[in-house]
Amino acid sequence: QVTVVQSGGGSVLPGGSMTLSCGTTGRAGIYGMGWFRQNSGTERQFVAATSWGGDTTNYAGSVKGRFTISRDNAKNTVSLQMNNLKPEDTGVYYCAARNGGGVRIGADDYEYWGQGTQVTVSS
C-alpha cells in the first residue's frame, strides 16, 4: 500500500509564489512523480512530472518557465515551486506517484494519488 501525502496550498495574489510538497508513505519503491490540477467539472490536467532520479522533468506549456518540480529522495519529498502565479493557475492540485521511475503526463499512468489541495490565485 502506498499513500501520497500533500502539504501546502492556499490563496495568493497574482504574481505571487507558492510551494506545494508531497511524499509517499508505505511500500518503498521507485516512483515517478507528477502534479496535476483540476477545476470543477473538468478533468485533471497535467502540470509537471519528474523521474525517479529527478534528472528528467516535463511541464505543461502553460506553466513552463514559471513552475519547477524537484525531488529529494533522501527526504522523500517532491516539491512544486510555483512562481508568477496567474488566476488561471487556480484549482485543486494533486500529487501523484507511479510505479517505475519514468516521466508520464497522463493521469491514467499514475496509480497513487494525494488528497488534493486548493490553490487560489486571486486579487
Side-chain angles (χ1 to χ4, degrees):
Q1 183 71 15
V2 176
T3 302
V4 178
V5 181
Q6 301 179 216
S7 63
S11 297
V12 65
L13 295 173
S17 298
M18 182 182 293
T19 302
L20 304 179
S21 298
C22 72
T24 60
T25 64
R27 178 169 54 87
I30 296 176
Y31 302 110
M33 301 294 292
W35 287 94
F36 292 77
R37 68 186 175 203
Q38 187 173 26
N39 288 294
S40 178
T42 66
E43 295 183 351
R44 290 183 187 181
Q45 296 180 325
F46 169 74
V47 174
T50 179
S51 60
W52 166 251
D55 54 324
T56 302
T57 57
N58 200 346
Y59 296 91
S62 62
V63 307
K64 195 171 295 184
R66 300 187 296 121
F67 290 14
T68 302
I69 187 171
S70 62
R71 69 188 301 164
D72 184 339
N73 289 337
K75 297 180 179 179
N76 189 24
T77 299
V78 176
S79 298
L80 183 68
Q81 174 66 42
M82 305 183 291
N83 297 326
N84 190 21
L85 282 159
K86 303 177 180 181
E88 51 263 42
D89 295 319
T90 294
V92 178
Y93 281 70
Y94 293 91
C95 180
R98 60 176 303 276
N99 291 308
V103 171
R104 297 290 186 274
I105 67 172
D108 290 344
D109 291 318
Y110 291 80
E111 290 88 3
Y112 314 106
W113 291 84
Q115 74 274 23
T117 186
Q118 177 70 44
V119 172
T120 302
V121 185
S122 174
S123 56

